[in-house]
Amino acid sequence: MPQTLLAETLLGDGRTVSIVEPTSADAAAICDLIREAFGSRATVEPPPPALAETPQKVAAALAEGFGVLAVVDGVPVGVVIVSLDGPMAGIHRVSVRPGYQRQGIASAMVEVAIELLTARGASAVELVAREEFPQVVAWWRRHGFVEVGREGTSLTLARQLPVRLEAPSADDTRAIGRRLAGVLRAGDVIIASGDLGAGKTTLAQGLGAGLAVAGAIISPTFVLSRVHPSTVGGPALVHVDAYRLGSFAELEDLDLEVSLDDSVTFVEWGAGIAEGLAEDYLELDIRRSLDPDDETRWIFLTPIGGRWTASRPELEAL
Ligand SMILES: Nc1ncnc2c1ncn2[C@@H]1O[C@H](COP(=O)(O)OP(=O)(O)OP(=O)(O)O)[C@@H](O)[C@H]1O
Ligand SMILES: [Mg+2]
């Protein structure tokens, strides 16, 4: 069975890194790679189980879950093993061959692993990282993982995976917004991302219709923030465009806190800026299809915090 090409990325020297799904035929090479990568780290006690990896165990892990392999010039240089046991998935053995590290290979592999897990319906993913490697822990935190447990110096880090919705047309995106409005209540914050023209404002139009607020929902680009009061005594919709804002401090100048508790706050271009608004928020990312003739949008909803994790089933039913 041939390897399946999942993604490609480039090294600093211009060589292509192919991200593929390996097969059991790759088990021995993957085992060598894991042992080499983990063996090159500083020694820790107790030693990581990765150092006792065998081709048989790798083959079994690939059969039960799946792998993500990075290949340069036909040679494996990075691997991630993913286990999928019910809704909670696990990421294991994140390995990049010495000499290929710090070039985005681990990020590319983890991104692909998370996309595959999302497509296969997993709702959360966890992993174990050693406290002795604070830069590794910091790397996972930058990828959205938070500490959920610890045993000795082994930290369990986890993150929610997005709920993925398909919107073939602009009307479908509006309809998703309208249904999402049914899940919303005062105090909710939605942080939206996606390229220019992805459909963030289109989805906000559906939210506005669902919340029955006054005023046309248009791109607030030149206004930065617009308040749409409810016509039915419900929460207002505060529609914000953070495109021109560089920091949370600039967003704070908009005084969104004043309206936050009584409104639904929807921030376009909010990723990396608006997370300070609330501890719990819904991350919304809209992606276009890779085919330029296809207007389908993929809408990814990631619950952050207890309010949203508890509402995950309602998001899945949208
Ligand atoms: N499936 C779809 N979902 C959403 N919009 C779509 C879809 N198909 C086509 N469109 C069109 O794409 C455009 C999306 O524009 P919109 O203003 O909503 O994007 P945006 O993400 O808010 O962009 P900006 O970052 O510029 O604010 C609209 O013209 C919409 O009609
Ligand atoms: Mg917009």
Side-chain angles (χ1 to χ4, degrees), residues 167-170 173-174 194-202 219 241 268-269 295-297:
S169 72
T173 297
R174 276 186 211 99
D195 294 339
L196 285 169
K200 302 177 290 294
T201 301
T202 303
S219 185
D241 195 323
E268 294 195 25
W269 295 99
E295 288 291 5
T296 300
R297 305 296 200 264

Side-chain angles (χ1 to χ4, degrees), residues 106-215:
S107 287
M109 293 190 302
V110 168
E111 211 170 281
V112 167
I114 284 177
E115 275 171 26
L116 290 175
L117 284 170
T118 303
R120 292 176 198 193
S123 58
V125 60
E126 65 177 26
L127 58 95
V128 174
R130 294 291 286 260
E131 202 173 31
E132 293 91 331
F133 302 115
Q135 71 286 12
V136 173
V137 176
W139 188 90
W140 286 113
R141 287 192 203 285
R142 285 200 300 280
H143 287 77
F145 286 79
V146 294
E147 186 180 331
V148 294
R150 70 160 63 217
E151 214 182 300
T153 62
S154 293
L155 307 181
T156 302
L157 306 175
R159 60 162 277 182
Q160 286 279 315
L161 292 168
V163 173
R164 187 181 74 160
L165 306 170
E166 182 178 359
S169 72
D171 279 343
D172 294 314
T173 297
R174 276 186 211 99
I176 287 171
R178 206 172 308 124
R179 293 197 292 274
L180 176 59
V183 182
L184 295 173
R185 52 186 189 236
D188 282 342
V189 172
I190 300 174
I191 299 184
S193 56
D195 294 339
L196 285 169
K200 302 177 290 294
T201 301
T202 303
L203 191 136
Q205 289 167 350
L207 283 183
L211 291 170
V213 296

Side-chain angles (χ1 to χ4, degrees), residues 76-101:
V77 298
V79 73
V80 173
I81 307 276
V82 183
S83 61
L84 188 50
D85 182 15
M88 177 61 85
I91 289 182
H92 313 270
R93 309 284 193 263
V94 178
S95 307
V96 177
R97 176 159 283 161
Y100 289 89
Q101 293 168 353

